[in-house]
């Protein structure tokens, strides 16, 4: 389960650095909080001067640490394929870091107090849960790693139902660090835990996508699928967890990350189309031009979302610069393809005029003034003039991409990216020199924009692996629909059950656990304390929490006149008045700013439940209960590269009597 946390891979070193930076950032933030509190509390001018000096030092350290974290988020080369030298690098999300959590003592105490069982019997189950969580901190960069995170994610709702009561805090704090700022966020409920695990699943898919070999069709398919799945999980996170006080999981940040993942998927779709080589044919070149324009358009949207506040303050400068470089690069590539189609191909008698006219008319939203599609196709002068205009725009766009590339220090470390940008620029220069004629007068017209269009659009995809079936670690506590933290129970009571004429004096209903109904108040079990609505949890030494009516009947069927002890529990009022104190809310600490978020929705039933009386009809034989009483309970040109190579009737009539159980209404379904 999980990778060895001490394995010295490039990715593990990066995560270890991130963990170390997170600790340093929280230390500096605590010092800053202390200094600010002292500044507010003191009136001594000398002390104020010293505190202000200390504050400037702490703020300077924080700025340096944040810059280091920004550099880690810019280390995309660690996540790329080891043989990747011929494609533009892609951006992967780093995994969120978390502190260790000890479930042992709180869970054992809760089992003892709430479920009235010996908590030490569940030590192995609690240890398994803690081991699973620990393994999730270092998942492998494969589908097995995603499955590991998914397994833990699927256990969390079960754990929440078992141990996290809306009326009582567990004392367990979950701490996760913001992946962009390093600021810790701490909560007592499981919302932060669930959301952070989902974020890490999306991050892991993004890392799988960047690691794929994009020089093969299979590798590109893997990359496309991984980025689409990352976008699907991030979208699910955005729609499901709307109040997580962590910058990296805010709605605006998640929207930007979704766009980024889909843009990278679209880029891989473009590369897949170009992988066999682009046919040097008019229609093929025009098609590729529109595909490249589509990639440019999506990256422009990503860049626009990255430079909006407050995202701009938390996204690495490397990311926004990379998206701007790609916007210009792919737009220039689109102009290059259109220029090649116009300059290298003339309309021949053998060509389909109508088809070429239709193709050209779909490339532009607005044609140059005085030109029609057929004019451009049939007149060589017009064709050359517009073709040269496109190649000039391609050259200017590549030069702009190289200029933006030079502005970012972290981007300058990517030699493969620089080689690709320079090769693309040189190719456009060569195309321009081929078509240039010194004797003719050059008309420097502006080339029209190219309409973006794609035959294969990247779409969000929620992976099936994100939802897996798991076996409840705490299965022995009983069905989670009944034995949960929300339900309040009496301690188990022992009742002696003695049959009279093979009749124990009550009937049973339900799937598991079974419930006592139609209790004869004169039977020995009722005299010993059995009440209507009680759940039978054990018969003799046999645990019955998971048994159906038929199974429990078989245990009671052959009981002799001496009888047998059964253990029962009664459901108490599940909606007591809420105490308005700190324990009824979830304390959230974001950095040094304490916040309080009511993350728990408490449902109150305002309808008064009136007590219902039951009629006792004629008894039937105990042996006939099984079938009648069992109630059913109710998802070519090639791209430039940097690669240098019912209650049953009773037997006798009795008068009706009211239900004797004060817990009856809450216990019946």
């Amino acid at each position: 389960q999980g990778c060895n946390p001490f394995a010295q891979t490039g990715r593990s070193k990066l995560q270890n650095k991130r963990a170390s930076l997170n600790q340093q950032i929280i230390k500096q933030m605590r010092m800053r909080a202390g200094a600010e509190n002292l500044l507010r509390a003191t009136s001594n001018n000398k002390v104020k001067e010293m505190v202000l000096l200390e504050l400037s030092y702490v703020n300077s350290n924080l700025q340096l640490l944040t810059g280091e974290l920004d550099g880690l988020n810019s280390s995309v080369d660690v996540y790329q394929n080891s043989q990747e030298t011929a494609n533009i690098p892609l951006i992967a999300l780093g995994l969120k870091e978390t502190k260790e959590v000890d479930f042992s003592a709180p869970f054992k105490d809760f089992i003892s107090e709430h479920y009235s069982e010996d908590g030490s019997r569940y030590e192995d189950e609690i240890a398994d849960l803690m081991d699973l969580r620990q393994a999730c901190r270092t998942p492998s960069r494969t589908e097995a790693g995603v499955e590991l995170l998914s397994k833990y994610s699927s256990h969390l709702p079960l754990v929440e139902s078992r141990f996290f009561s809306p009326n009582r805090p567990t004392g367990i704090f979950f701490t996760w660090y913001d992946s962009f700022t390093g600021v810790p966020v701490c909560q007592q409920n499981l919302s932060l835990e669930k959301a952070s695990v989902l974020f890490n699943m999306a991050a892991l898919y993004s890392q799988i996508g960047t690691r794929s070999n994009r020089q093969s069709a299979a590798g590109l398919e893997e990359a496309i699928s991984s980025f689409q799945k990352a976008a699907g999980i991030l979208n699910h996170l955005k729609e499901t967890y709307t109040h997580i006080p962590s910058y990296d999981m805010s709605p605006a940040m998640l929207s930007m990350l979704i766009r980024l993942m889909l843009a990278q998927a679209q880029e891989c779709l473009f590369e897949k189309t170009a992988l066999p080589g682009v046919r040097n044919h008019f229609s093929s070149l025009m098609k590729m031009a529109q595909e490249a324009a589509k990639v440019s358009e999506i990256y422009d949207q990503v860049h626009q979302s990255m430079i909006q506040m407050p995202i701009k303050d938390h996204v690495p400068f490397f990311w926004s610069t990379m998206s701007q470089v790609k916007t210009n690069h792919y737009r220039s590539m689109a102009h290059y393809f259109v220029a090649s189609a116009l300059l290298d191909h003339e309309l021949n008698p053998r060509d389909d005029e109508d088809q070429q006219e239709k193709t050209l008319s779909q490339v532009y939203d607005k044609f140059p003034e005085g030109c029609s599609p057929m004019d451009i196709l049939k007149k060589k002068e017009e064709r050359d003039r517009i073709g040269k205009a496109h190649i000039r725009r391609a050259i200017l766009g590549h030069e702009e991409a190289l200029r933006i590339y030079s502005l970012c220090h972290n981007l300058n470390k990517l030699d493969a990216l620089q080689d690709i940008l320079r090769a693309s620029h040189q190719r456009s220069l060569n195309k321009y020199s081929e078509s240039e004629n010194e004797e003719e007068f050059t008309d420097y017209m502006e080339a029209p924009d190219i309409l973006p269009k794609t035959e294969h659009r990247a779409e969000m995809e929620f992976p099936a692996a994100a939802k897996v079936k798991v076996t409840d670690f705490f299965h022995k506590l009983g069905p989670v629909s009944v034995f949960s933290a929300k339900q309040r129970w009496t301690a188990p009571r022992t009742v002696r059950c003695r049959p009279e004429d093979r009749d124990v004096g009550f009937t049973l209903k339900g799937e598991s656990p079974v419930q006592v109904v139609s209790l004869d108040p004169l039977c020995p079990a009722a005299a010993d304390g059995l009440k209507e609505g009680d759940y039978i949890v054990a018969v003799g030494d046999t645990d019955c929490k998971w048994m159906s009516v038929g199974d429990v009947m078989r245990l009671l069927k052959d009981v002799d006149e001496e009888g047998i002890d059964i253990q029962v529990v009664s459901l108490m009022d599940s909606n007591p008045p809420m105490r308005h104190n700190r324990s009824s809310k979830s304390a959230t600490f974001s950095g040094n700013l304490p916040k309080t978020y009511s993350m728990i929705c408490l449902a109150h039933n305002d309808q008064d439940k009136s007590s219902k009386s039951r009629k006792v009809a004629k008894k039937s034989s105990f042996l006939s209960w099984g079938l009648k009483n069992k109630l059913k309970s109710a998802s070519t040109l090639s791209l430039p590269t940097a690669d240098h190579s019912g209650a049953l009737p009773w037997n006798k009539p009795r008068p009706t009597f009211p239900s004797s159980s004060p817990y009856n209404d809450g216990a019946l379904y």
Side-chain angles (χ1 to χ4, degrees), residues 461-473:
E461 176 187 343
F462 191 77
K467 294 288 183 183
V468 297
K469 288 186 178 180
V470 294
T471 302
D472 185 5
F473 282 129

Side-chain angles (χ1 to χ4, degrees), residues 6-287:
F6 301 107
Q8 292 300 299
T9 63
R11 193 173 63 110
S12 66
K13 288 178 182 177
L14 201 66
Q15 287 298 133
N16 289 335
K17 287 180 184 176
R18 184 190 294 274
S20 174
L21 277 175
N22 287 335
Q23 294 302 319
Q24 293 177 60
I25 287 172
I26 191 173
K27 180 181 177 181
Q28 295 297 322
M29 293 187 77
R30 284 172 177 165
M31 291 175 65
R32 185 174 70 177
E36 288 173 345
N37 289 336
L38 182 58
L39 196 63
R40 285 191 290 268
T42 187
S43 57
N44 188 314
N45 289 333
K46 189 172 182 180
V47 172
K48 281 187 176 181
E49 287 179 9
M50 292 174 63
V51 172
L52 286 170
L53 182 63
E54 182 67 23
L55 261 178
S56 65
Y57 176 72
V58 170
N59 284 327
S60 176
N61 280 346
L62 266 175
Q63 199 167 3
L64 288 172
L65 291 169
T66 305
E68 285 187 53
L69 190 62
D70 187 270
L72 289 185
N73 287 324
S74 304
S75 302
V76 297
D77 52 321
V78 174
Y79 299 105
Q80 308 303 309
N81 186 279
S82 56
Q83 276 77 42
E84 191 66 83
T85 58
N87 293 90
I88 298 179
L90 299 170
I91 294 173
L93 304 180
L95 297 177
K96 285 173 69 71
E97 291 290 331
T98 181
K99 284 186 177 180
E100 290 187 22
V101 176
D102 188 356
F103 295 120
S104 185
F107 279 13
K108 284 196 282 189
D109 290 346
F110 193 87
I111 289 171
S112 300
E113 295 173 21
H114 186 80
Y115 295 105
S116 302
E117 292 195 32
D118 183 2
S120 61
R121 291 178 56 220
Y122 292 87
E123 283 183 349
D124 290 343
E125 288 82 357
I126 296 171
D128 288 342
L129 177 64
M130 290 172 62
D131 287 346
L132 178 59
R133 188 183 191 275
Q134 185 66 16
C136 287
R137 298 178 68 183
T138 54
S140 60
R141 194 167 36 153
T142 61
E143 284 288 343
V146 176
E147 188 177 339
L148 179 67
L149 290 171
S150 180
K151 184 179 178 182
Y152 180 61
S153 178
S154 297
H155 273 293
L156 288 177
L158 295 170
V159 172
E160 185 174 36
S161 297
R162 295 287 193 191
F163 298 104
F164 289 80
S165 168
N167 307 320
R168 167 186 168 180
T170 59
I172 299 172
F173 288 89
F174 299 96
T175 302
W176 288 83
Y177 295 92
D178 190 287
S179 60
F180 295 109
T181 64
V183 175
V185 178
C186 183
Q187 284 190 345
Q188 282 199 73
N189 63 41
L190 277 171
S191 295
L192 176 65
E193 183 87 348
K194 291 177 184 175
S196 298
V197 173
L198 277 175
F199 184 94
N200 276 359
M201 287 173 67
L204 206 55
Y205 268 123
S206 75
Q207 293 178 15
I208 293 171
T210 55
R211 182 213 58 184
S212 303
N213 178 14
R214 287 151 60 202
Q215 290 300 300
S216 69
L220 283 166
E221 283 286 355
E222 181 185 43
I224 293 162
S225 176
S226 297
F227 288 125
Q228 291 183 150
K229 287 173 181 176
I233 293 174
L234 290 170
N235 186 62
H236 175 71
L237 176 58
K238 177 188 169 187
E239 293 179 346
T240 309
Y241 300 95
T242 55
H243 299 293
I244 302 298
S246 184
Y247 291 122
D248 54 0
M249 292 188 286
S250 64
M253 183 66 80
L254 289 174
S255 296
M256 184 277 293
L257 292 176
I258 291 167
R259 287 195 186 100
L260 175 61
M261 294 299 112
L262 290 176
Q264 296 190 145
Q266 193 68 51
E267 184 178 4
C268 292
L269 281 165
F270 172 78
E271 290 176 351
K272 183 185 173 186
T273 306
L275 185 64
V278 182
R279 287 180 60 209
N280 195 1
H281 183 269
F282 183 84
S283 298
S284 298
L285 291 168
M286 289 297 189
K287 174 188 169 186

Side-chain angles (χ1 to χ4, degrees), residues 595-607:
K595 302 178 183 178
T596 302
Y597 286 77
S598 293
M599 305 295 287
I600 304 169
C601 297
L602 301 173
H604 296 276
N605 188 356
D606 296 325
Q607 296 179 354

